[in-house]
Coordinates of all heavy atoms in Angstrom, one line a residue:
Chain A
P96 N -1.1 -17.1 11.5 CA -1.7 -18.2 10.8 C -2.1 -17.9 9.4 O -2.5 -16.8 9.1 CB -2.9 -18.5 11.7 CG -2.7 -17.9 13.0 CD -1.8 -16.7 12.7
G97 N -1.9 -18.9 8.5 CA -2.2 -18.7 7.1 C -3.6 -19.2 6.8 O -4.1 -19.0 5.7
V99 N -7.6 -19.4 8.6 CA -8.5 -19.0 9.7 C -9.9 -19.5 9.4 O -10.3 -19.4 8.2 CB -8.5 -17.5 9.9 CG1 -9.4 -17.1 11.1 CG2 -7.1 -17.0 10.2
K100 N -10.6 -20.0 10.4 CA -12.0 -20.5 10.1 C -12.9 -19.3 10.1 O -12.7 -18.3 10.8 CB -12.4 -21.5 11.2 CG -11.7 -22.8 11.1 CD -12.1 -23.8 12.1 CE -11.7 -25.2 11.9 NZ -10.3 -25.4 11.6
P101 N -14.0 -19.4 9.3 CA -15.0 -18.4 9.3 C -15.6 -18.1 10.7 O -15.7 -19.1 11.5 CB -16.1 -19.0 8.4 CG -15.4 -19.9 7.5 CD -14.3 -20.5 8.3
S102 N -15.8 -16.9 11.0 CA -16.4 -16.3 12.2 C -15.3 -16.2 13.3 O -15.6 -15.6 14.3 CB -17.5 -17.2 12.8 OG -17.0 -18.3 13.5
Q103 N -14.1 -16.7 13.0 CA -13.0 -16.5 14.0 C -12.3 -15.2 13.8 O -12.6 -14.4 13.0 CB -12.1 -17.8 14.0 CG -12.8 -19.0 14.4 CD -11.9 -20.2 14.7 OE1 -10.7 -20.2 14.2 NE2 -12.4 -21.2 15.4
T104 N -11.2 -15.1 14.6 CA -10.4 -13.8 14.5 C -9.1 -14.1 13.8 O -8.3 -15.0 14.2 CB -10.2 -13.3 15.9 OG1 -11.4 -12.9 16.5 CG2 -9.3 -12.1 15.9
L105 N -8.8 -13.2 12.9 CA -7.5 -13.2 12.2 C -6.5 -12.4 13.0 O -6.9 -11.3 13.4 CB -7.7 -12.6 10.8 CG -6.6 -12.5 9.8 CD1 -7.2 -12.3 8.4 CD2 -5.7 -11.3 10.1
L107 N -2.4 -11.2 13.1 CA -1.2 -11.1 12.4 C -0.3 -10.1 13.2 O -0.7 -9.2 13.8 CB -1.3 -10.6 11.0 CG -2.0 -11.5 10.0 CD1 -2.2 -10.8 8.7 CD2 -1.3 -12.8 9.8
I126 N -2.4 -3.1 5.3 CA -3.0 -3.0 4.0 C -3.3 -4.5 3.5 O -2.5 -5.4 3.9 CB -2.1 -2.3 2.9 CG1 -1.7 -0.9 3.4 CG2 -2.8 -2.2 1.6 CD1 -0.3 -0.9 4.0
R127 N -4.3 -4.7 2.8 CA -4.6 -6.0 2.3 C -4.9 -6.0 0.8 O -5.3 -5.0 0.3 CB -5.7 -6.7 3.1 CG -7.1 -6.2 2.9 CD -8.1 -7.0 3.7 NE -9.5 -6.5 3.5 CZ -10.5 -7.1 4.0 NH1 -10.4 -8.1 4.9 NH2 -11.7 -6.6 3.8
Q128 N -4.8 -7.2 0.2 CA -5.0 -7.3 -1.3 C -5.6 -8.7 -1.6 O -4.8 -9.7 -1.5 CB -3.7 -7.1 -2.0 CG -3.8 -7.1 -3.5 CD -2.5 -6.7 -4.2 OE1 -1.5 -7.1 -3.8 NE2 -2.7 -6.0 -5.3
P129 N -6.8 -8.8 -1.9 CA -7.4 -10.1 -2.3 C -6.7 -10.5 -3.6 O -6.3 -9.6 -4.4 CB -8.9 -9.8 -2.5 CG -9.1 -8.5 -1.7 CD -7.9 -7.8 -1.8
A130 N -6.7 -11.8 -3.9 CA -6.0 -12.3 -5.1 C -6.6 -11.6 -6.3 O -7.8 -11.6 -6.5 CB -6.2 -13.8 -5.1
K132 N -6.8 -8.6 -7.1 CA -7.6 -7.3 -6.9 C -6.6 -6.2 -6.4 O -5.4 -6.4 -6.3 CB -8.7 -7.5 -6.0 CG -9.8 -8.5 -6.5 CD -11.0 -8.6 -5.7 CE -12.1 -9.5 -6.2 NZ -13.3 -9.5 -5.4
E135 N -6.3 -2.4 -0.4 CA -7.2 -1.8 0.6 C -6.5 -1.5 1.9 O -5.9 -2.4 2.5 CB -8.4 -2.7 0.9 CG -9.4 -2.2 1.8 CD -10.6 -3.1 2.1 OE1 -10.4 -4.3 2.1 OE2 -11.7 -2.6 2.4
I137 N -6.3 -0.9 5.7 CA -7.0 -1.3 6.8 C -7.0 -0.3 8.0 O -8.0 0.0 8.6 CB -6.5 -2.7 7.3 CG1 -6.6 -3.7 6.2 CG2 -7.2 -3.2 8.6 CD1 -5.9 -5.0 6.5
S151 N -14.9 1.1 6.6 CA -15.5 -0.1 6.1 C -15.2 -1.3 7.0 O -15.8 -2.4 6.9 CB -15.0 -0.4 4.7 OG -13.6 -0.6 4.7
L152 N -14.1 -1.3 7.8 CA -13.7 -2.4 8.6 C -13.7 -2.1 10.1 O -13.4 -3.0 10.9 CB -12.3 -2.9 8.2 CG -12.1 -3.4 6.7 CD1 -10.7 -3.5 6.4 CD2 -12.8 -4.7 6.6
R155 N -14.6 -4.2 13.1 CA -14.0 -5.5 13.3 C -12.5 -5.5 13.5 O -11.9 -6.5 13.6 CB -14.3 -6.4 12.0 CG -15.8 -6.7 11.8 CD -16.0 -7.8 10.8 NE -15.5 -7.5 9.4 CZ -14.7 -8.2 8.7 NH1 -14.2 -9.3 9.2 NH2 -14.4 -7.8 7.5
V156 N -11.9 -4.3 13.5 CA -10.4 -4.2 13.5 C -9.9 -3.7 14.8 O -10.5 -2.7 15.3 CB -10.0 -3.3 12.3 CG1 -8.5 -3.0 12.4 CG2 -10.3 -3.9 11.0
L169 N -2.3 -6.9 14.1 CA -3.7 -6.7 13.5 C -4.6 -7.8 14.0 O -4.2 -9.0 14.0 CB -3.6 -6.7 12.0 CG -4.9 -6.9 11.2 CD1 -5.7 -5.5 11.4 CD2 -4.7 -7.2 9.8
Q170 N -5.7 -7.4 14.5 CA -6.8 -8.4 14.7 C -8.0 -8.0 13.9 O -8.4 -6.9 14.0 CB -7.1 -8.4 16.2 CG -6.1 -9.1 17.1 CD -6.6 -9.1 18.6 OE1 -6.6 -8.1 19.3 NE2 -6.9 -10.3 19.0
L171 N -8.6 -9.0 13.2 CA -9.8 -8.8 12.4 C -10.8 -9.9 12.9 O -10.5 -11.1 12.7 CB -9.5 -8.9 10.9 CG -10.6 -8.7 10.0 CD1 -11.1 -7.2 10.1 CD2 -10.2 -9.0 8.5
T172 N -11.9 -9.4 13.5 CA -12.8 -10.4 14.1 C -13.9 -10.8 13.1 O -14.1 -10.2 12.0 CB -13.5 -9.7 15.3 OG1 -14.2 -8.6 14.9 CG2 -12.5 -9.3 16.3
S173 N -14.6 -11.9 13.4 CA -15.7 -12.4 12.6 C -15.4 -12.4 11.1 O -16.2 -11.9 10.3 CB -16.9 -11.4 12.9 OG -17.2 -11.3 14.2
V174 N -14.3 -13.1 10.8 CA -13.9 -13.2 9.4 C -14.8 -14.0 8.5 O -15.5 -15.0 9.0 CB -12.4 -13.6 9.3 CG1 -11.5 -12.6 9.9 CG2 -12.3 -15.0 9.8
T175 N -14.9 -13.7 7.3 CA -15.6 -14.5 6.2 C -14.6 -14.7 5.1 O -13.5 -14.2 5.1 CB -16.8 -13.7 5.7 OG1 -16.4 -12.6 5.0 CG2 -17.7 -13.3 6.9
A176 N -15.1 -15.4 4.1 CA -14.3 -15.7 2.9 C -13.8 -14.4 2.2 O -12.8 -14.4 1.6 CB -15.0 -16.6 1.9
A177 N -14.6 -13.3 2.4 CA -14.2 -12.1 1.8 C -13.0 -11.4 2.4 O -12.4 -10.5 1.8 CB -15.4 -11.1 1.9
D178 N -12.6 -12.0 3.5 CA -11.3 -11.5 4.2 C -10.1 -12.2 3.7 O -9.0 -11.9 4.2 CB -11.5 -11.5 5.7 CG -12.6 -10.6 6.2 OD1 -12.6 -9.4 5.9 OD2 -13.4 -11.1 7.0
T179 N -10.3 -13.2 2.8 CA -9.1 -13.9 2.3 C -8.3 -12.9 1.4 O -8.9 -12.3 0.5 CB -9.6 -15.1 1.4 OG1 -10.2 -16.1 2.3 CG2 -8.4 -15.7 0.7
A180 N -7.0 -12.8 1.7 CA -6.2 -11.8 1.0 C -4.8 -12.0 1.5 O -4.4 -12.7 2.4 CB -6.7 -10.4 1.4
V181 N -3.9 -11.3 0.8 CA -2.5 -11.1 1.3 C -2.5 -9.8 2.1 O -3.1 -8.8 1.7 CB -1.5 -10.9 0.1 CG1 -0.1 -10.6 0.6 CG2 -1.5 -12.1 -0.8
Y182 N -2.0 -9.9 3.3 CA -2.0 -8.8 4.3 C -0.5 -8.3 4.4 O 0.4 -9.0 4.6 CB -2.5 -9.3 5.6 CG -4.0 -9.5 5.7 CD1 -4.6 -10.6 5.1 CD2 -4.8 -8.5 6.3 CE1 -5.9 -10.8 5.1 CE2 -6.2 -8.7 6.3 CZ -6.7 -9.8 5.7 OH -8.1 -10.0 5.7
K195 N 1.7 -11.5 3.9 CA 1.3 -12.8 4.4 C -0.1 -13.2 3.8 O -1.1 -12.5 4.0 CB 1.2 -12.7 5.9 CG 0.6 -14.0 6.6 CD 1.6 -15.1 6.6 CE 1.0 -16.3 7.3 NZ 2.0 -17.5 7.3
M196 N -0.1 -14.3 3.2 CA -1.4 -14.8 2.6 C -2.2 -15.4 3.7 O -1.7 -16.3 4.5 CB -1.1 -15.9 1.6 CG -2.4 -16.5 0.9 SD -3.2 -15.3 -0.1 CE -4.8 -16.0 -0.2
V197 N -3.5 -15.0 3.9 CA -4.4 -15.5 4.8 C -5.6 -16.0 4.1 O -6.3 -15.3 3.4 CB -4.8 -14.5 5.9 CG1 -5.8 -15.1 6.9 CG2 -3.5 -14.0 6.6
I198 N -6.0 -17.3 4.3 CA -7.2 -17.9 3.7 C -8.2 -18.1 4.8 O -7.9 -18.6 5.9 CB -6.8 -19.2 3.0 CG1 -5.9 -18.9 1.8 CG2 -8.1 -19.9 2.5 CD1 -5.3 -20.2 1.2
V199 N -9.4 -17.7 4.5 CA -10.5 -17.9 5.5 C -11.3 -19.1 4.9 O -12.0 -18.9 3.9 CB -11.4 -16.7 5.7 CG1 -12.5 -17.0 6.6 CG2 -10.5 -15.6 6.3
S200 N -11.3 -20.2 5.6 CA -12.0 -21.4 5.1 C -12.1 -22.4 6.3 O -11.3 -22.5 7.1 CB -11.2 -22.1 4.0 OG -11.8 -23.3 3.6

Side-chain angles (χ1 to χ4, degrees):
Chain A
V99 181
K100 288 182 167 51
S102 80
Q103 295 192 340
T104 296
L105 179 158
L107 294 175
I126 304 101
R127 70 179 183 178
Q128 184 175 38
K132 296 189 177 180
E135 179 180 33
I137 299 170
S151 67
L152 297 168
R155 300 194 292 129
V156 172
L169 168 70
Q170 289 185 287
L171 182 64
T172 63
S173 305
V174 296
T175 70
D178 295 310
T179 294
V181 177
Y182 286 76
K195 174 70 178 181
M196 179 70 199
V197 179
I198 296 171
V199 177
S200 175

